[in-house]
């Protein structure tokens, strides 16, 4: 069975306004890490990353400015997780952020 351990970092804590700025995923098959991973940074559209968020994850607008947005790159993320069981530490928050991105599209 394929499982994906998933974590996101965001520009802030507002489900509607803020954006995903980093995604990290590790692939497990039958509970064993396969070495496959998905890791990408994203710029937060035209939003300013909150000071509180930057203190947590260390990411800032200057560093992220040359990356595409999560919304622009969501297809590669969806391809990686396709059909897999997700293991998410803060599932309600992460899934809300992902689902809001899908709604915008």
């Amino acid at each position: 069975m394929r499982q994906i351990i998933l974590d996101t970092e965001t520009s802030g804590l507002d489900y509607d306004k803020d954006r995903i700025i980093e995604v990290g995923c590790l692939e497990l098959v039958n509970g064993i890490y396969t070495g496959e991973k998905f890791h990408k940074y994203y710029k937060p559209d035209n939003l300013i990353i909150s000071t509180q968020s930057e203190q947590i994850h260390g990411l800032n607008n200057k560093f992220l400015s040359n990356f595409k947005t999560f919304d622009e790159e969501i297809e590669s993320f969806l391809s990686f997780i396709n059909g897999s069981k997700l293991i998410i530490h803060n599932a309600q928050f992460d899934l809300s952020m992902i689902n809001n991105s899908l709604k915008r599209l």
Side-chain angles (χ1 to χ4, degrees):
M1 169 180 41
R2 184 175 191 252
Q3 299 170 303
I4 301 295
I5 298 172
L6 167 68
D7 190 32
T8 68
E9 297 297 344
T10 63
S11 61
L13 299 175
D14 185 320
Y15 297 112
D16 293 319
K17 181 187 95 153
D18 286 303
R19 300 291 188 265
I20 293 172
I21 57 174
E22 182 180 19
V23 171
C25 299
L26 300 176
E27 178 188 63
L28 305 177
V29 173
N30 298 323
I32 299 170
Y33 176 51
T34 66
E36 289 295 317
K37 59 187 170 187
F38 178 94
H39 178 255
K40 290 196 177 198
Y41 293 110
Y42 307 98
K43 69 179 172 186
D45 288 327
N46 295 318
L47 298 172
I48 302 298
I49 296 171
S50 72
T51 302
Q52 180 184 13
S53 293
E54 186 175 342
Q55 289 173 348
I56 292 169
H57 50 57
L59 299 172
N60 60 54
N61 288 85
K62 183 177 179 183
F63 171 74
L64 297 169
S65 65
N66 292 321
F67 294 95
K68 293 185 177 185
T69 66
F70 180 72
D71 292 1
E72 292 173 308
E73 299 258 314
I74 197 168
E75 289 300 324
S76 63
F77 166 72
L78 293 174
S79 269
F80 185 81
I81 66 168
N82 185 32
S84 300
K85 185 176 201 174
L86 300 177
I87 301 169
I88 309 170
H89 169 66
N90 192 359
Q92 182 178 358
F93 179 77
D94 289 352
L95 291 176
S96 292
M97 295 298 289
I98 293 165
N99 286 334
N100 281 343
S101 179
L102 290 168
K103 285 178 191 175
R104 283 191 298 275
L105 298 174

